[in-house]
Amino acid sequence: MQAPPYTSLTFDRRTTLMGGAALLLPGCLSHARTILPETTSIGELRALEQNADGRLGAYVLDPVRGTAFGWRENERFTHASSFKMSLAAMLLAKADAGQIDLRETLHWTKEDMLSVSPVTTVNLGKGLSVQELARAALVTSDNTAANVLMRRFGGPSQLTAFWRSIGDKSSRLDRYEPELNVTPPGTDLDTSTPAAMAATTAAIVHGTILTADSRAMLRAWMAEVKTGQDRIRSGFPTNWISGDKTGTGIGKTKHIYVDLAFGGPAGRSPLIVTAYFEPARLAEPMARDAVAVLATVGRIAAASLSDT
């Protein structure tokens, strides 16, 4: 059984209004209303990009108020490892529909091993269940786990098909780890837009794409992610309930830092915040200034909620 689609929303570069946001998540939003444009927040995102010296794409979606704002939200950016959130969601959705068994044990060889594979490294030869591999891919960004899962369940094209099935007409995955971390110039390989991925994240976190149990499991995994604690989530108030999935692509001529997050006070449906930053100045292995840009996006998002 295919999950019900949500309505895909398309915005201009400086989107500020979402009067139709109630259509985004069937059964989850009610009495959505249009409010005044978030001009201050948009200006802050624009200034952040100018001061940071790079290209910033960001989108903040509030499912309670039915509002959103962003900067370069319809421009394309590389997923890097952030696709692993959707990969885990796809597998949970397939399990909910009775199409796969999360208890199935998968194996891999030494030749399959990639860098940044902490869970699969210690379980080489033993194997892990689909559920354990999905958790490893999301929580620890285990690259080998992601490839093993994709090879078992139809490859990158199946994740693209999943996005289309839930209404995301922009996101695409074309290759495996580690090639997918760098988009070749002149192509859209392995990319999405901040607005499209915010809508997808909202549908997964808030909507009916997953059953309540699977949704709770995915959100719990996202809350366990350690690599995002200095990105968007570090800009949220410390008492907020939050989770995220990060991505980092370090190419020879372009680097990208990504974070897809949810966060909000207890008892309130959280904000969805997506951020992609490509610094003009490249630094390895990790540019603290670039990571700090994503944290500032989190602060801008949180301030937009506290101002209402």
Side-chain angles (χ1 to χ4, degrees):
M1 184 177 71
Q2 184 174 327
Y6 63 82
T7 299
S8 180
L9 301 177
T10 303
F11 300 87
D12 293 330
R13 177 173 172 181
R14 295 169 178 82
T15 298
T16 58
L17 300 180
M18 276 190 54
L23 299 176
L24 179 64
L25 307 173
C28 289
L29 301 180
S30 61
H31 308 298
R33 59 190 178 89
T34 300
I35 65 168
L36 293 175
E38 299 276 5
T39 53
T40 299
S41 299
I42 295 170
E44 289 174 343
L45 291 175
R46 179 175 60 245
L48 173 61
E49 179 188 67
Q50 292 173 343
N51 293 332
D53 189 20
R55 185 169 75 112
L56 171 67
Y59 202 63
V60 180
L61 170 63
D62 185 346
V64 174
R65 294 182 293 159
T67 62
F69 64 91
W71 181 256
R72 300 192 189 276
E73 64 266 33
N74 289 314
E75 295 185 18
R76 286 194 169 272
F77 295 85
T78 305
H79 292 288
S81 286
S82 66
F83 82 92
K84 293 167 185 171
M85 179 201 69
S86 293
L87 175 63
M90 179 188 78
L91 296 172
L92 292 174
K94 287 182 178 293
D96 289 340
Q99 298 172 356
I100 68 171
D101 184 356
L102 293 176
R103 298 169 298 181
E104 177 187 355
T105 299
L106 302 181
H107 295 87
W108 54 96
T109 67
K110 185 176 181 180
E111 288 68 32
D112 295 322
M113 294 301 304
L114 300 174
S115 62
V116 191
S117 297
V119 176
T120 50
T121 295
V122 298
N123 286 282
L124 179 63
K126 173 186 174 183
L128 291 169
S129 69
V130 171
Q131 180 171 319
E132 290 170 325
L133 287 166
R135 179 187 178 279
L138 199 162
V139 175
T140 71
S141 210
D142 192 298
N143 288 325
T144 302
N147 279 1
V148 169
L149 289 168
M150 287 197 289
R151 290 195 174 101
R152 170 64 182 86
F153 295 107
S157 64
Q158 284 301 302
L159 185 52
T160 301
F162 171 70
W163 281 323
R164 298 296 177 269
S165 77
I166 63 173
D168 183 340
K169 298 179 181 180
S170 298
S171 303
R172 57 183 288 178
L173 199 72
D174 302 273
R175 297 169 296 168
Y176 291 88
E177 289 281 10
E179 290 78 15
L180 58 81
N181 290 283
V182 179
T183 297
T187 77
D188 291 335
L189 297 181
D190 306 301
T191 61
S192 184
T193 71
M197 195 47 63
T200 285
T201 303
I204 291 169
V205 170
H206 293 299
T208 56
I209 304 303
L210 303 177
T211 63
D213 287 345
S214 291
R215 192 163 59 246
M217 181 181 296
L218 188 81
R219 287 174 60 148
W221 289 348
M222 292 176 72
E224 290 184 64
V225 172
K226 303 298 184 185
T227 53
Q229 291 184 344
D230 57 353
R231 299 193 183 192
I232 290 174
R233 294 169 70 185
S234 71
F236 291 162
T238 56
N239 63 335
W240 276 22
I241 297 171
S242 65
D244 75 309
K245 179 66 192 91
T246 61
T248 305
I250 305 297
K252 292 182 179 179
T253 61
K254 182 184 292 185
H255 294 178
I256 187 165
Y257 297 82
V258 185
D259 201 11
L260 315 175
F262 70 84
R268 184 193 192 279
S269 292
L271 298 176
I272 302 297
V273 186
T274 59
Y276 301 74
F277 183 62
E278 298 172 347
R281 295 187 299 274
L282 308 186
E284 297 185 32
M286 192 76 70
R288 292 184 179 180
D289 290 347
V291 172
V293 170
L294 304 187
T296 302
V297 172
R299 287 195 288 274
I300 292 170
S304 75
L305 181 58
S306 63
D307 287 344
T308 61

